[in-house]
Amino acid sequence: MRNLFLISLALSTFSLFAQTNCVFVENQTSSNIASDGESTYGTKLGDLDGDGDLDAVTIHSHDFIQVKINDGTGVFGEADYVYSGGEYFRLELADVDDDNDLDIVALSFGADGNTDIWKNDGTGQFSLFQNVSSGIYANHSKLADLDGDGDLDLFQTARIDQFDQLIFKNDGNGTFTLFSTITPNTYSKAGVALADFDGDGDIDAVMSSASSTSDNEYWTNDGNGNFTYVASYHDTLGSGYYGIDHGDFDNDGDEDFVVLAQYTGLQIYLNDGAGNFTYSGMFGGAFYRNDVQVCDYNNDGNDDIISVGSMVELLANDGNTQFDSCWADDNSFSYSFNSGDLDSDGFTDIYAGTSGTGSDRVFIQKPNSTNISDISTSNNFTIFPNPATSIIKLENLPENTKNIQILDVTGKMIVCHSERSEESVKLNVTELQNGIYFIKAGNQVQKLIKE
């Protein structure tokens, strides 16, 4: 009569969520996101209040941290919480104290400023925990486990004609202490990509240059957070760089990197698996860029690239390291942005910070080929309870349903159950990580929130 089963994490790709054409529409309801005529210099998305959707944290005019809560549909309004304590430029958002919520690392802007650690109480409200003395103009710094002890450390890059880059180690409770100083061969590093580039199991670094006279540099980690210089990369166009990110652009199982050549385009460097990089080409339009992020916007398994500056541009990867501009918006200037699924439909959206001439802007992806909105939603089956922690019950399933599938928000199928009863089905979702999933039965789809 009824079936009870445990989740099996057998991964496969399901094409329901894949689409080929990129269409983004500005969420006009969010167009009133306050800017006060000032710029947004840092932007990160994450579930700050534990309700299952992505909220926003921004650095406002160097002086304030603004927390903006998502209503679940990608709509943001005035800042829900505003914090001040230092002079900031960028920020990172991560669980630095291992208490299962996201904290803020606000990066110093002035040379005599501090990087501040703001801890989350789990509801999206923050309190200042630590002032980390840095003494540098920080830019696109990143968090990663640099010493292999299971917590997140800070790699802080320095710009504006400064040499030293700083490594701060985390004690596991969110307290950061200066561990080492890296002195690159050339000054003024704007950003850093952190990944295991040489395949030895620890986190290495590629630093981008903020000057046309300095180089992008690759440094390897010994596993304990000690870095050694390996190689430099610089194009022949004399362009300065800023944003940098990594991804597997050629689908060969190792991490490549993309770096912004500020006025000329995006440069791709491919990895041979051992940390040896080869220049693959320049892509994108010739306009001013300031920030970049790698994501699979259309869930086709290929790493795509979004960048912002004097315009917002999305480059789609064909899987063979050829990138085509498939969407752009030239009506705003942005210093920073972040991408993620803001309306819980399984597709990547964009939150772009303002340069001070308007408000922050939210672009919601509206796929125009097969996606959830094309699936029947009339007389949908029911899920109870929802949100759920362990056992869920599905009722009123479509007739002749042969498979019940659970997919994550990227469209990856993590469960396929081939048996069902005429009355109902019970599923045990205990082993799923907390977050948003979609359950597909026949031609119907319902959203499940796992807590």
Side-chain angles (χ1 to χ4, degrees):
M1 293 288 291
R2 293 178 295 182
N3 298 297
L4 182 66
F5 71 98
L6 296 178
I7 298 299
S8 170
L9 299 179
L11 301 182
S12 61
T13 300
F14 185 66
S15 61
L16 168 68
F17 289 81
Q19 53 97 17
T20 56
N21 300 307
C22 49
V23 177
F24 289 79
V25 177
E26 184 174 0
N27 190 335
Q28 297 294 334
T29 310
S30 284
S31 63
N32 64 341
I33 302 175
S35 68
D36 302 327
E38 301 289 348
S39 296
T40 298
Y41 289 103
T43 304
K44 291 294 179 182
L45 300 174
D47 183 6
L48 305 178
D49 54 1
D51 65 351
D53 55 42
L54 296 179
D55 310 302
V57 182
T58 62
I59 299 297
H60 181 67
S61 183
H62 293 307
D63 300 319
F64 301 102
I65 300 170
Q66 294 190 342
V67 175
K68 301 164 186 177
I69 301 300
N70 186 354
D71 73 351
T73 67
V75 172
F76 302 83
E78 301 284 339
D80 294 271
Y81 308 106
V82 179
Y83 305 96
S84 61
E87 192 176 14
Y88 307 127
F89 188 58
R90 301 288 186 180
L91 66 99
E92 290 297 305
L93 191 61
D95 184 7
V96 300
D97 54 0
D98 197 29
D99 65 349
N100 298 315
D101 55 38
L102 296 176
D103 310 300
I104 297 172
V105 179
L107 303 170
S108 60
F109 176 69
D112 57 351
N114 293 320
T115 288
D116 290 344
I117 313 300
W118 293 79
K119 286 195 175 183
N120 189 349
D121 67 359
T123 70
Q125 299 188 59
F126 294 81
S127 58
L128 181 61
F129 175 72
Q130 183 190 11
N131 298 113
V132 183
S133 179
S134 64
I136 64 173
Y137 288 90
N139 204 345
H140 294 264
S141 303
K142 296 289 174 61
L143 292 165
D145 184 6
L146 302 178
D147 54 3
D149 65 351
D151 54 43
L152 296 175
D153 310 301
L154 177 64
F155 193 118
Q156 192 164 8
T157 59
R159 58 186 291 271
I160 310 183
D161 299 337
Q162 293 179 311
F163 268 94
D164 292 337
Q165 323 296 306
L166 305 181
I167 304 296
F168 292 91
K169 285 195 175 182
N170 185 353
D171 68 354
N173 187 46
T175 299
F176 289 82
T177 304
L178 181 63
F179 171 71
S180 66
T181 298
I182 297 176
T183 303
N185 288 349
T186 55
Y187 65 91
S188 194
K189 299 307 175 200
V192 62
L194 299 177
D196 182 11
F197 291 112
D198 57 3
D200 65 351
D202 54 42
I203 301 297
D204 310 304
V206 179
M207 291 177 280
S208 63
S209 167
S211 169
S212 61
T213 59
S214 63
D215 297 328
N216 306 306
E217 298 185 20
Y218 170 46
W219 291 62
T220 57
N221 187 353
D222 68 356
N224 296 310
N226 301 299
F227 288 82
T228 302
Y229 170 78
V230 177
S232 295
Y233 303 92
H234 195 105
D235 72 1
T236 60
L237 300 177
S239 178
Y241 302 87
Y242 264 80
I244 186 171
D245 204 358
H246 63 89
D248 185 6
F249 300 122
D250 52 1
N251 295 309
D252 64 350
D254 54 45
E255 291 298 303
D256 315 304
F257 72 87
V258 55
V259 63
L260 298 184
Q262 266 195 314
Y263 293 94
T264 52
L266 294 158
Q267 295 183 358
I268 305 295
Y269 288 84
L270 299 181
N271 189 352
D272 69 356
N276 301 303
F277 295 93
T278 302
Y279 177 67
S280 177
M282 179 92 72
F283 300 94
F287 63 88
Y288 176 82
R289 288 179 171 86
N290 213 338
D291 203 1
V292 64
Q293 185 181 352
V294 173
C295 69
D296 181 7
Y297 90 93
N298 59 353
N299 305 326
D300 66 351
N302 299 321
D303 283 337
D304 311 301
I305 302 171
I306 303 173
S307 65
V308 300
S310 58
M311 64 189 298
V312 183
E313 184 181 46
L314 169 59
L315 296 179
N317 184 357
D318 69 356
N320 295 307
T321 66
Q322 294 301 306
F323 293 83
D324 293 317
S325 179
C326 69
W327 176 81
D329 179 271
D330 59 0
N331 293 320
S332 63
F333 190 105
S334 295
Y335 288 118
S336 67
F337 81 106
N338 209 209
S339 65
D341 183 7
L342 296 175
D343 57 353
S344 303
D345 68 347
F347 289 99
T348 298
D349 310 304
I350 300 170
Y351 186 113
T354 180
S355 65
T357 57
S359 298
D360 294 352
R361 304 178 71 194
V362 173
F363 297 97
I364 300 297
Q365 187 176 172
K366 301 293 185 182
N368 56 0
S369 60
T370 303
N371 64 84
I372 293 173
S373 65
D374 298 322
I375 304 299
S376 171
T377 57
S378 61
N379 300 316
N380 253 357
F381 63 92
T382 60
I383 304 172
F384 181 83
N386 190 10
T389 58
S390 56
I391 305 297
I392 61 173
K393 185 178 182 180
L394 311 183
E395 293 189 319
N396 300 320
L397 294 166
E399 292 184 4
N400 302 317
T401 298
K402 296 181 180 179
N403 294 298
I404 298 172
Q405 300 163 336
I406 300 180
L407 305 99
D408 67 14
V409 295
T410 70
K412 186 176 292 181
M413 187 170 65
I414 58 176
V415 172
C416 182
H417 184 60
S418 60
E419 297 180 7
R420 60 149 294 188
S421 82
E422 294 300 322
E423 296 181 4
S424 63
V425 171
K426 279 189 175 181
L427 310 180
N428 187 339
V429 297
T430 303
E431 296 181 13
L432 289 178
Q433 295 183 355
N434 294 348
I436 294 174
Y437 298 86
F438 292 94
I439 297 181
K440 179 176 181 288
N443 69 337
Q444 296 183 9
V445 173
Q446 287 279 40
K447 182 172 74 173
L448 169 69
I449 298 176
K450 170 63 169 58
E451 294 183 339

